[in-house]
Amino acid sequence: METRAARTTGWVLIETLRNYGVDTVFGIPGTHNLEFYRPLNALGVHPVTTRHEQGAGYAADGWSLQTGKPGVVITTSGPGLLNALSAAGTAYCESRPMIILSPGPARGREFADVGTLHETKDQLGAASAIVEWGRRVQSDAEAVQAVHDAFALFTTGRPRPVYIEVPLDLLEEESELTGDALAARSAAAPAAPDAQAIQEAARLLAAATDPVILAGGGSRAATAELRALAERLGAPVVTTLNAKGVLDEHHPLSLGSNLRLAAARNRARDADVLLVVGSKLGEAELWVDTLEARGRVIRIDLVASQLDKNQAAEVRIAADATTALAAIGDALGDGTPADREARVAETVDAVRAECAELSAVNTALAEHIAAALPADAIVATDSSQIAYWGLLNTLRVRTPNSTPYMATYATLGYGLPAAIGSRIARPDRPVFAVVGDGALMFSLQEFMTVVEQGLDLTVIVVDNGGYAEIKQNEADAGIAPVGVDLAQPDWAALADAFGGTGHRVASATELTAAVAAAGAAGGLHVIHLPQSRFTD
């Protein structure tokens, strides 16, 4: 029961977040972070208590992908913070906004090494090594300013996680800050792109005979502008996994999120003009060291330092993708696009054939799963073979952020909590997690979070007996299987034990029926799909 309503530093920090539209936070209450939790009910902020702080971070990331707002994670000092840092690493690598709040040692007690509860040698240093910036504030005004600075970063720079540490004595100290000091500040208007660079980009694209657009995560807010430009040019669009759906993957110009497969990647490489939008063209997205484009390259990125990263450009446009793409479209004016749809279809067919050849089992399973899912589903995945060797190639989505994933950090344990955050943010869409058995063991405690939050969420666990990818790596290296063939729980019974419903399926027909039953009944459903027994 609330015994007092003191407006502490913790209170005014949370109130500032609320003023920016954050209505949900993820974390675990602890001895030292109670002043972050005190104001939540009064301010209308919904707390989601996960069963591990790593899950809190991944759930916050899933929520952020659906809302466009930063995911907020509240940890306690020491172990709570360190548990969340894998999620911070994910947000950093995938360029996603996140705010991590934690108490720290009281002022004057830094590095004391006297055995206080949760004492950590240098938790600010630990977090700062992972995030875009970490800050230990020294006053209530600094705490609130840190929130304002975080939102300025997210709206004008490369969105990456930040860490705000509030000394324990300051966190509990009463504050007199109110009104304008806590009010959300208007985002700066996007800077106009360089006019000469826009004109040169338009000139190259207008003269191109085989242009290709390569869209990365930085293009996700520019769906209308990207589609308009692609249609004006008749240019196929291939995306990274972080940009999956930025162009409706049913569109005749879409090559899908298949940049890592040679058929699509080579189409981009061989374009006479390649327009790269919001991608660093990293090895984790390409699955080769570098793209090595053979034609003229135009790059658009919010951050100028990215414009030659991993691939030199001839035309560099440092600007917001929405603004830059619209400006190029205006410079091109009206025109009649070349008919390139037949060639696009050929490339898509080649991509599908390549995927099936490289991973026949996972591709076939993915096709069955995709066929069973509702058309508007959000499908969170993990660094599991069923994801990167199957579903992310097979499933075609209409909007960005429909497949929460982390292509660069490639962690296990992401899919289930990311689905939780997605479902909380988007109760209007069916939400699924499709993960491997090895990955799900990293986060299965979050089944309880699903039940406690009253969420409708279905988990499809594809059981290949353990860490199949690493088993293949060992074989390729001439190592007999070691540590990769894993014992399995009774997944369906486990779901029942958590208060959900378990399903055992061994065929496409049973899978379709189980997905339909889960959708009709609601609540937590876990569908166990044993790869070795699954039949068409």
Side-chain angles (χ1 to χ4, degrees):
M1 177 181 294
E2 191 73 60
T3 58
R4 64 185 177 92
R7 287 175 54 79
T8 62
T9 298
W11 185 297
V12 297
L13 192 155
I14 296 295
E15 187 172 339
T16 306
L17 287 169
R18 187 68 184 92
N19 290 338
Y20 277 100
V22 174
D23 62 6
T24 305
V25 295
F26 300 83
I28 300 177
T31 301
H32 288 163
N33 67 11
L34 300 182
E35 292 303 325
F36 286 133
Y37 278 85
R38 181 188 298 278
L40 296 183
N41 287 340
L43 295 174
V45 177
H46 174 56
V48 179
T49 300
T50 57
R51 296 315 192 259
H52 193 286
E53 289 89 355
Q54 181 170 284
Y58 294 146
D61 187 66
W63 184 89
S64 175
L65 286 171
Q66 305 310 321
T67 63
K69 299 179 175 68
V72 174
V73 182
I74 299 176
T75 78
T76 194
S77 52
L81 170 65
L82 297 184
N83 283 345
L85 289 185
S86 285
T90 300
Y92 185 89
C93 283
E94 314 302 338
S95 298
R96 295 175 189 164
M98 177 181 289
I99 298 174
I100 300 175
L101 305 176
S102 176
R107 289 168 290 189
R109 303 288 287 174
E110 302 90 340
F111 307 104
D113 193 22
V114 292
T116 55
L117 181 67
H118 298 330
E119 189 170 62
T120 304
K121 178 183 177 183
D122 184 6
Q123 69 176 44
L124 175 64
S128 297
I130 304 298
V131 299
E132 179 69 8
W133 56 253
R135 192 174 299 178
R136 179 175 164 86
V137 300
Q138 298 297 319
S139 69
D140 56 352
E142 284 189 21
V144 168
Q145 185 60 48
V147 174
H148 292 313
D149 290 348
F151 276 87
L153 167 68
F154 301 149
T155 54
T156 62
R158 188 175 184 181
R160 278 176 153 172
V162 303
Y163 168 63
I164 303 173
E165 178 174 308
V166 185
L168 186 58
D169 60 319
L170 174 61
L171 183 65
E172 298 172 347
E173 191 172 270
E174 293 197 27
S175 171
E176 296 182 357
L177 295 176
T178 59
D180 290 345
L182 313 184
R185 298 176 183 175
S186 299
D194 180 77
Q196 185 174 349
I198 292 293
Q199 290 297 326
E200 180 62 10
R203 185 188 70 79
L204 290 179
L205 289 167
T209 59
D210 185 25
V212 173
I213 299 173
L214 192 163
S219 70
R220 287 178 297 179
T223 55
E225 293 79 8
L226 188 140
R227 174 173 178 159
L229 184 60
E231 291 176 343
R232 165 64 182 80
L233 296 169
V237 176
V238 60
T239 77
T240 66
L241 290 172
N242 277 333
K244 184 175 178 67
V246 69
L247 178 66
D248 182 344
E249 293 184 318
H250 300 83
H251 193 286
L253 290 173
S254 174
L255 297 176
S257 58
N258 296 306
L259 183 61
R260 65 207 186 286
L261 296 182
R265 185 175 62 243
N266 291 346
R267 183 70 189 278
R269 180 198 64 189
D270 296 339
D272 63 339
V273 178
L274 176 65
L275 173 61
V276 180
V277 187
S279 174
K280 61 180 173 291
L281 298 177
E283 175 268 336
E285 285 279 17
L286 294 169
W287 282 15
V288 294
D289 291 341
T290 56
L291 182 64
E292 298 181 350
R294 295 173 177 173
R296 321 283 286 273
V297 177
I298 304 163
R299 293 187 70 168
I300 297 170
D301 204 283
L302 188 62
V303 181
S305 62
Q306 297 290 102
L307 291 171
D308 280 312
K309 185 168 285 186
N310 295 319
Q311 172 68 62
E314 181 173 338
V315 179
R316 303 167 186 82
I317 303 172
D320 166 80
T322 301
T323 305
L325 290 171
I328 292 173
D330 290 343
L332 281 167
D334 295 329
T336 303
D339 183 4
R340 300 186 174 103
E341 290 182 9
R343 229 189 128 196
V344 172
E346 290 176 7
T347 305
V348 170
D349 290 343
V351 165
R352 291 181 179 277
E354 180 186 357
C355 187
E357 180 181 349
L358 292 172
S359 183
V361 172
N362 282 294
T363 299
L365 284 174
E367 288 175 348
H368 290 307
I369 294 170
L373 297 177
D376 60 341
I378 294 171
V379 185
T381 57
D382 227 304
S383 190
S384 303
Q385 284 187 327
I386 190 58
Y388 55 78
W389 272 135
L391 199 63
L392 293 171
N393 306 95
T394 301
L395 182 68
R396 291 192 288 172
V397 301
R398 296 190 180 278
T399 57
N401 303 320
S402 292
T403 51
Y405 185 66
M406 25 73 255
T408 300
Y409 209 58
T411 184
L412 296 177
Y414 175 85
L416 172 56
I420 290 171
S422 297
R423 179 62 186 179
I424 291 169
R426 294 299 304 270
D428 58 317
R429 292 179 65 181
V431 177
F432 293 77
V434 179
V435 297
D437 59 280
L440 186 53
M441 288 298 291
F442 277 67
S443 59
L444 62 84
Q445 69 274 3
E446 304 306 343
F447 285 165
M448 204 68 249
T449 307
V450 178
V451 173
E452 183 175 80
Q453 293 290 319
L455 304 178
D456 298 336
L457 196 155
T458 299
V459 180
I460 299 175
V461 52
V462 176
D463 172 7
N464 62 13
Y467 300 137
E469 176 75 13
I470 308 307
K471 185 175 183 177
Q472 184 60 53
N473 293 161
E474 289 179 346
D476 293 343
I479 301 171
V482 55
V484 290
D485 293 318
L486 305 179
Q488 301 289 321
D490 183 331
W491 288 103
L494 192 63
D496 295 340
F498 274 95
T501 303
H503 305 261
R504 299 174 179 88
V505 304
S507 70
T509 301
E510 292 177 359
L511 173 61
T512 300
V515 169
L524 169 68
H525 289 257
V526 178
I527 299 173
H528 178 218
L529 193 162
Q531 186 170 290
S532 62
R533 294 179 53 229
F534 194 84
T535 65
D536 293 346

